[in-house]
């Protein structure tokens, strides 16, 4: 088995570089982080070389080295006992399990019963529901919040007072936004409901208690028809070009183009999502064999639905552009990571001048916070899918037809887009009225 540890080229906010692991087990490759970040000067030959080093999170170099050795030993033993080639998801699950921190321990050094049950819950539900790696990471984060709240916690703690104390801890000590607190509470309710059904938990307050959450709907970030076409046809300047720009308050500033090729790929991938309604996860898996005449057949990663999508002229043009280029695993497009694409997309939209001010209001630690950003700062890969939906609805295409393309199963998830489309139609009618009265 080939396994290698190295530092990510990009530092985090405190200047440390995440440690990444690259492994190949019987032909299946996996690249991921291991949850530790260090400064480059203490790293050499896959080891922390500086004695008594401690990173910004308080983890010692000795502990980091021990984790690296443990991962090497764990996967070496795993491959020895392996008969068939593993799936990538299986490796991800094993890595996630291996990286769990034993932060929830009692005085005798053993994991408390509740945390043992939580690990069992994650293991069972992830296999039954075929969770994505990102979902498992969310649950491991939830586990960490519980451990910080009370490493010796038991089921009896989750009466009404205990639930309120946990929510107060998340709000005022962890300083999480109200939306995040609500999401963690949903996780808690799911886990305790499972434990109650399994007759592991006798405290049933969670089934009847209804705490209040101040969660406001975020603005739906999407591109207008004019913005999408501008982005699609935008002539990206060569690398090193200095571009003069203005922020949403009219102040001038300059920006230097860093990587033209990456920006071109990002533009094509984002526009393909906007012309087909695909999520990034589905766009990144489109193979040439999925394209048949005027249709694209996609099995969505989120819902596992097989959806036929009509290809319009714009989507066909992007596919045609890359038809003579070969990509790994028969992919039809030059896929880059979601993180890189998000970063390049913001730069691209900044160059296009998408600086409309957008305000977001949310609650954190009981305080109402209002932030205003330029539109390009809030653009992400999922805005492509939103752009398709909002434009389709505002163009008069019935919601049930749009849902056939997007794979939405009910109107609840479509409601924010329907509201935006209704608002767009109202604004268009005002423009029509003003033009008629001139």
């Amino acid at each position: 088995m080939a396994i290698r540890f190295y530092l990510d080229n990009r530092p985090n906010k405190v200047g440390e570089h995440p440690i990444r692991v690259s492994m190949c087990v019987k032909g299946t490759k996996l690249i991921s982080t291991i949850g530790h970040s260090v400064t480059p000067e203490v790293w050499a030959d896959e080891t922390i070389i500086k004695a008594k080093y401690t990173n910004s999170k308080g983890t010692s170099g000795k502990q980091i080295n021990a984790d690296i050795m443990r991962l090497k030993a764990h996967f070496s033993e795993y491959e020895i006992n392996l008969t068939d080639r593993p799936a990538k998801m299986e490796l991800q699950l094993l890595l996630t399990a291996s990286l769990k921190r034993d932060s929830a321990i009692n005085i005798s050094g053993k994991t408390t019963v509740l945390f043992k049950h939580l690990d069992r819950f994650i293991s069972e539900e992830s296999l039954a529901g075929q969770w994505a790696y990102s979902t498992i990471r969310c649950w491991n984060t939830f586990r960490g919040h519980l451990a910080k709240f009370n490493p010796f916690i038991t089921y009896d703690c989750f009466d009404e007072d205990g639930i309120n104390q946990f929510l107060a801890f998340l709000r005022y000590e962890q300083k999480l936004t109200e939306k995040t607190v609500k999401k963690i509470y949903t996780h808690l309710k799911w886990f305790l409901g499972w434990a109650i059904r399994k007759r592991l938990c006798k405290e049933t307050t969670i089934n009847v208690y209804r705490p209040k959450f101040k969660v406001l709907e975020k603005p739906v970030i999407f591109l207008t028809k004019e913005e999408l076409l501008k982005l699609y046809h935008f002539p990206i300047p060569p690398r090193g070009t200095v571009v003069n720009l203005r922020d949403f308050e009219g102040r001038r500033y300059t920006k230097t183009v860093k990587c033209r090729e990456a920006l071109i790929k990002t533009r094509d991938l984002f526009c393909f999502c906007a012309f087909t309604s695909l999520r990034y996860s589905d766009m990144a898996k489109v193979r040439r064999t999925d394209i048949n005449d005027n249709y694209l057949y996609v099995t969505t990663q989120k819902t596992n639905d097989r959806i036929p999508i009509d290809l319009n002229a714009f989507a066909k043009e992007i596919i045609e552009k890359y038809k003579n280029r070969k990509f790994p695993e028969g992919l039809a497009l030059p896929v880059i990571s979601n993180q890189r694409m998000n970063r390049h997309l913001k730069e691209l939209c900044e160059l296009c001048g998408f600086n409309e001010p957008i305000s977001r209001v949310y609650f954190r630690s009981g305080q109402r916070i209002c932030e205003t950003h330029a539109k390009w700062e809030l653009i992400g890969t999922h805005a492509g899918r939103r752009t398709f939906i909002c434009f389709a609805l505002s163009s008069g295409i019935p919601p049930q037809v749009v849902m056939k393309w997007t794979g939405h199963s009910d109107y609840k998830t479509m409601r924010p887009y329907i509201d935006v489309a209704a608002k767009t139609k109202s604004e268009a009618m005002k423009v029509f009225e003003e033009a008629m009265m001139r």
Side-chain angles (χ1 to χ4, degrees):
M1 178 191 72
I3 183 167
R4 182 171 69 92
F5 295 85
Y6 60 96
L7 296 188
D8 194 309
N9 292 329
R10 295 163 295 180
N12 57 23
K13 293 181 180 179
V14 296
E16 294 176 342
H17 293 248
I19 300 175
R20 299 180 71 83
V21 59
S22 171
M23 68 177 72
C24 182
V25 180
K26 289 190 180 295
T28 300
K29 297 180 180 179
L30 176 67
I31 298 177
S32 181
T33 57
I34 68 168
H36 294 305
S37 298
V38 298
T39 52
E41 58 267 21
V42 304
W43 178 261
D45 298 326
E46 304 186 1
T47 306
I48 305 297
I49 58 174
K50 184 178 179 181
K52 298 182 180 180
Y53 172 77
T54 302
N55 67 10
S56 61
K57 292 185 178 180
T59 307
S60 67
K62 184 178 179 181
Q63 179 62 53
I64 295 173
N65 286 339
D67 286 349
I68 291 173
M69 293 300 295
R70 178 166 52 85
L71 287 173
K72 287 182 178 180
H74 178 80
F75 280 96
S76 295
E77 182 181 357
Y78 167 71
E79 188 179 45
I80 291 173
N81 298 318
L82 196 63
T83 56
D84 300 319
R85 179 177 176 176
K88 188 174 181 179
M89 177 58 72
E90 184 178 347
L91 290 184
Q92 289 176 332
L93 290 171
L94 285 171
L95 180 62
T96 301
S98 301
L99 293 175
K100 285 180 180 175
R101 303 285 176 262
D102 295 327
S103 56
I105 56 174
N106 60 22
I107 297 174
S108 64
K110 296 181 179 179
T111 306
T112 59
V113 171
L114 183 142
F115 284 99
K116 284 184 177 179
H117 291 168
L118 178 56
D119 291 341
R120 176 182 160 191
F121 164 83
I122 295 173
S123 177
E124 289 183 5
E125 294 295 308
S126 63
L127 291 175
Q130 299 183 39
W131 288 357
Y133 181 52
S134 56
T135 305
I136 296 172
R137 290 181 62 182
C138 286
W139 275 99
N140 285 332
T141 301
F142 168 76
R143 188 184 194 277
H145 285 306
L146 273 184
K148 289 178 183 177
F149 172 62
N150 183 354
F152 318 114
I153 200 165
T154 63
Y155 289 117
D156 294 337
C157 295
F158 290 109
D159 56 8
E160 187 171 327
D161 289 338
I163 293 172
N164 284 332
Q165 288 173 17
F166 179 54
L167 296 179
F169 165 79
L170 297 173
R171 286 179 176 128
Y172 302 108
E173 292 192 39
Q174 298 297 98
K175 300 187 183 303
L176 302 177
T177 64
E178 195 72 359
K179 184 175 182 179
T180 303
V181 173
K182 183 178 180 180
K183 184 176 181 180
I184 293 173
Y185 175 76
T186 303
H187 279 54
L188 176 67
K189 189 173 182 179
W190 185 358
F191 165 59
L192 291 182
W194 172 88
I196 292 169
R197 291 196 309 274
K198 297 277 187 179
R199 298 184 180 179
L200 303 172
C201 173
K202 296 180 181 179
E203 176 58 67
T204 60
T205 302
I206 196 76
N207 288 336
V208 295
Y209 186 52
R210 299 290 183 271
K212 300 292 184 181
F213 298 97
K214 294 180 179 179
V215 178
L216 302 176
E217 289 289 339
K218 292 196 303 183
V220 178
I221 308 300
F222 66 100
L223 299 186
T224 64
K225 170 189 171 183
E226 292 74 21
E227 288 172 335
L228 178 59
L229 291 176
K230 180 178 180 179
L231 177 64
Y232 184 57
H233 297 293
F234 184 68
I236 300 174
R239 181 176 182 175
T241 303
V242 178
V243 182
N244 295 312
L245 300 169
R246 289 178 182 269
D247 62 17
F248 62 80
E249 293 181 340
R251 292 173 296 198
R252 295 178 180 271
Y253 68 100
T254 60
K255 185 174 184 65
T256 303
V257 178
K258 296 180 180 178
C259 188
R260 185 172 184 267
E261 287 301 316
L263 294 180
I264 291 174
K265 290 180 182 178
T266 297
R267 177 190 61 191
D268 292 342
L269 296 176
F270 178 83
C271 288
F272 189 78
C273 291
F275 294 139
T276 61
S277 83
L278 292 183
R279 302 178 181 89
Y280 169 86
S281 59
D282 299 323
M283 176 275 297
K285 293 183 179 180
V286 172
R287 291 174 169 78
R288 299 189 192 279
T289 53
D290 297 326
I291 302 167
N292 184 11
D293 295 329
N294 296 321
Y295 291 93
L296 169 65
Y297 295 89
V298 177
T299 301
T300 62
Q301 179 175 306
K302 186 173 182 179
T303 61
N304 291 320
D305 295 324
R306 183 161 175 79
I307 302 171
I309 298 175
D310 301 77
L311 289 174
N312 53 48
F314 297 99
K316 288 179 181 178
E317 188 175 3
I318 295 173
I319 293 172
E320 184 72 15
K321 179 179 179 179
Y322 295 101
K323 73 173 184 178
N324 294 323
R325 293 179 58 181
K326 292 184 178 180
F327 303 113
E329 301 179 6
L331 295 176
L333 299 170
V335 177
I336 59 178
S337 71
N338 196 14
Q339 292 81 0
R340 284 185 60 204
M341 187 172 165
N342 273 317
R343 189 168 66 251
H344 294 314
L345 183 59
K346 286 177 171 55
E347 180 182 354
L348 191 56
C349 291
E350 183 182 11
L351 292 173
C352 287
F354 301 159
N355 59 0
E356 172 193 352
I358 296 178
S359 296
R360 296 195 301 180
V361 180
Y362 61 93
F363 285 85
R364 186 194 296 274
S365 302
Q367 301 295 316
R368 184 180 183 274
I369 300 173
C370 180
E371 295 178 346
T372 302
H373 300 272
K375 188 173 189 176
W376 64 264
E377 294 180 280
L378 304 178
I379 290 287
T381 55
H382 203 67
R385 179 174 168 86
R386 296 193 198 104
T387 297
F388 176 92
I389 297 171
C390 292
F391 180 70
L393 292 173
S394 61
S395 299
I397 300 175
Q400 58 269 28
V401 175
V402 178
M403 290 168 67
K404 291 285 185 182
W405 288 325
T406 62
H408 285 110
S409 57
D410 55 52
Y411 280 94
K412 183 179 179 181
T413 50
M414 287 288 287
R415 191 188 67 192
Y417 304 112
I418 294 172
D419 292 343
V420 169
K423 181 180 177 182
T424 303
K425 284 184 176 180
S426 298
E427 291 174 351
M429 183 56 73
K430 289 181 182 178
V431 173
F432 178 81
E433 275 184 9
E434 292 173 0
M436 290 293 290
M437 296 175 69
R438 286 174 188 166

